[in-house]
Amino acid sequence: MSMTRPAPSLPTPRRVQGTYYTLLLGNTLAASFIWGINTLFLLDAGLSNLEAFSANAFFTAGMLIFEIPTGVVADTVGRRASYLLGTITLAITTVLYWMLWVWHSPFWAWAVVSVLLGLGFTFFSGAVDAWLVDALKATGYQGSLETVFGRAQIVGGVAMLAGSVLGGVIAQLTNLGVPFLIRGGILLVMFVVAALLMRDLGFQPDRSEGPIRATRTVLRASIRYGLGDPPVRWLMLTSPFTAGVGIYVFYAMQPYLLELWGDEEAYSIAGLAAALLSGASIVGGLLAPRVRKLFRRRTSVILLAAVSSAIVLIGLGLVRDFWFAVVLVALWGIASAIDDPVHRAYLNDMIPSKQRATVLSFDSLMGSGGGVVFQPLLGRAADVGGYATSMLWSGVISAVAVPFVLLSRAQRPPADTAREVTADAEV
């Protein structure tokens, strides 16, 4: 007598969130070990400010080039597969980065490996958030995405705080290369964790087409639901000016605070910049759902964050006191952390499941494009006029995002006033 196996039961929404937070914790911990010392690491390898931020620009160029292909991997092969590929790619390229530092390699080598680092991160962008939102819908989650993404900000902030402080202290006690080796080890651990915990839920990969044809199909659909949808398009056009400038500001904080402190080898102070932003991420994650409740429309929160960030960055360019700068760094981090969960919830509620990972990757691509353009320009501004000048220009450039938020708001999409997880955009 033959017996059919019962279908595996779905995990609870709480279990899905627990898996998501675990993956986020490991990823952020691994990445943040080098966030506090990355610019110092590049300068120690013999690169100038222009070359160091150009290397970062090549990293964002890698993200720009590979966002759509890896988004297609997530939408056609699976989000779990994309995550696993990302951990392995990042582990290998992180070790390569360390080897370039050991050898004091020429700039072109840093450019090549930086592009490959960007490839590793693109396997994560879009795929993990898409996995989460689809899994929450499949398991019957009732609640707002801001709450989930707000908690994610807290988890990421805790991991970033631990990693950035430890990375700075370990670099101080050993050398600037050791945190990179630790990061590679953590990524290998996360590969095993993801292989055990992740399942694609509420999403069926479409493997009926070959890779080239699938790329064209998903890209066309992504343009339709991304740049072809006015409220999504205008929101995406904010990313080059917010995320693109934010990448520069994050890494420029390290040497800028050291300059204000007066000791260019105080690596633990450099770690303080990342630690401040991680603490701000925790505060912002706590505040985001509460701030959202104060406004009827999500774009009101996004506007508030965009204007506040621009003003704070201009302030950072004008101050010369270390502790005043520390306060402004914290305020900038809180504004960005409040914006992030609301931005992601707003975007996710406007795109359908089948193209979710690729459209989210397209949004990341826009931010990477801004980083490719603005990082070398702002790095050059730092070489010519100092970090304070580059902060002033960062504030001015980031303010350009405000009109695009207003244009998205003017379309009055239902997602702007949504409070709970909504049905797919295609329904």
Side-chain angles (χ1 to χ4, degrees):
M1 185 177 184
S2 63
M3 296 182 64
T4 58
R5 291 184 179 179
S9 60
L10 290 175
T12 63
R14 185 179 294 272
R15 175 77 176 272
V16 169
Q17 292 177 64
T19 299
Y20 176 69
Y21 298 144
T22 300
L23 299 176
L24 179 66
L25 180 72
N27 276 8
T28 309
L29 183 64
S32 62
F33 257 91
I34 64 103
W35 281 348
I37 50 112
N38 182 70
T39 304
L40 304 176
F41 176 84
L42 295 172
L43 296 175
D44 188 65
L47 302 182
S48 66
N49 271 314
L50 174 61
E51 289 173 330
F53 287 106
S54 294
N56 287 339
F58 273 100
F59 163 73
T60 48
M63 296 184 70
L64 183 69
I65 293 166
F66 296 113
E67 280 288 5
I68 296 301
T70 55
V72 171
V73 169
D75 280 335
T76 59
V77 179
R79 282 78 191 263
R80 177 178 180 269
S82 185
Y83 183 93
L84 295 175
L85 284 169
T87 54
I88 288 297
T89 304
L90 273 180
I92 293 170
T93 49
T94 296
V95 173
L96 287 175
Y97 228 52
W98 173 78
M99 293 171 68
L100 295 181
W101 173 76
V102 171
W103 297 334
H104 274 66
S105 300
F107 173 74
W108 67 263
W110 290 98
V112 171
V113 178
S114 294
V115 170
L116 295 176
L117 273 170
L119 167 63
F121 275 98
T122 58
F123 280 113
F124 295 143
S125 62
V128 182
D129 278 6
W131 174 86
L132 168 72
V133 175
D134 287 337
L136 287 176
K137 291 182 178 182
T139 54
Y141 172 72
Q142 298 294 320
S144 72
L145 287 176
E146 279 94 345
T147 300
V148 179
F149 288 136
R151 290 171 183 161
Q153 285 286 106
I154 297 169
V155 171
V158 170
M160 184 177 167
L161 179 62
S164 57
V165 171
L166 284 173
V169 171
I170 289 170
Q172 187 88 53
L173 295 175
T174 56
N175 59 60
L176 288 166
V178 172
F180 284 79
L181 297 178
I182 294 174
R183 169 174 157 166
I186 295 173
L187 286 166
L188 292 177
V189 172
M190 292 311 300
F191 177 88
V192 176
V193 171
L196 294 174
L197 296 181
M198 283 187 85
R199 281 172 53 199
D200 284 333
L201 301 170
F203 165 76
Q204 186 63 43
D206 183 3
R207 300 169 183 168
S208 60
E209 298 179 315
I212 303 299
R213 191 171 179 181
T215 300
R216 288 200 302 266
T217 300
V218 175
L219 181 57
R220 281 197 298 267
S222 299
I223 291 174
R224 175 188 172 190
Y225 293 108
L227 294 179
D229 187 0
V232 177
R233 175 175 66 242
W234 297 125
L235 184 67
M236 283 184 170
L237 288 174
T238 66
S239 294
F241 306 101
T242 55
V245 169
I247 297 169
Y248 170 80
V249 172
F250 181 87
Y251 288 112
M253 290 292 184
Q254 304 159 19
Y256 187 40
L257 286 183
L258 283 182
E259 180 183 290
L260 293 176
W261 180 255
D263 182 358
E264 295 185 359
E265 294 185 358
Y267 300 143
S268 56
I269 295 296
L272 174 64
L276 274 172
L277 294 177
S278 63
S281 182
I282 296 170
V283 174
L286 288 168
L287 291 177
R290 293 169 173 81
V291 173
R292 171 68 182 97
K293 290 178 181 178
L294 298 176
F295 298 93
R296 178 172 173 268
R297 303 176 70 173
R298 283 166 165 161
T299 49
S300 298
V301 182
I302 298 170
L303 274 171
L304 177 63
V307 172
S308 300
S309 295
I311 292 172
V312 168
L313 288 176
I314 291 172
L316 266 171
L318 298 175
V319 304
R320 292 296 179 269
D321 179 77
F322 173 81
W323 294 109
F324 193 9
V326 164
V327 172
L328 291 178
V329 169
L331 290 175
W332 180 73
I334 291 171
S336 300
I338 290 174
D339 169 78
D340 187 68
V342 181
H343 180 110
R344 290 157 71 186
Y346 181 40
L347 185 59
N348 268 284
D349 270 347
M350 292 192 289
I351 53 181
S353 172
K354 192 173 181 181
Q355 289 81 30
R356 191 182 306 280
T358 309
V359 175
L360 293 176
S361 290
F362 207 93
D363 185 49
S364 295
L365 179 149
M366 299 294 284
S368 299
V372 170
V373 174
F374 295 131
Q375 283 192 96
L377 292 177
L378 292 170
R380 181 59 180 164
D383 275 334
V384 174
Y387 290 110
T389 299
S390 71
M391 291 298 166
L392 280 170
W393 279 111
S394 295
V396 172
I397 293 168
S398 64
V400 179
V402 172
F404 293 113
V405 180
L406 291 171
L407 286 167
S408 180
R409 179 189 180 89
Q411 307 303 312
R412 297 186 175 276
D416 199 6
T417 55
R419 295 286 179 178
E420 297 184 352
V421 172
T422 61
D424 282 336
E426 62 204 337
V427 176

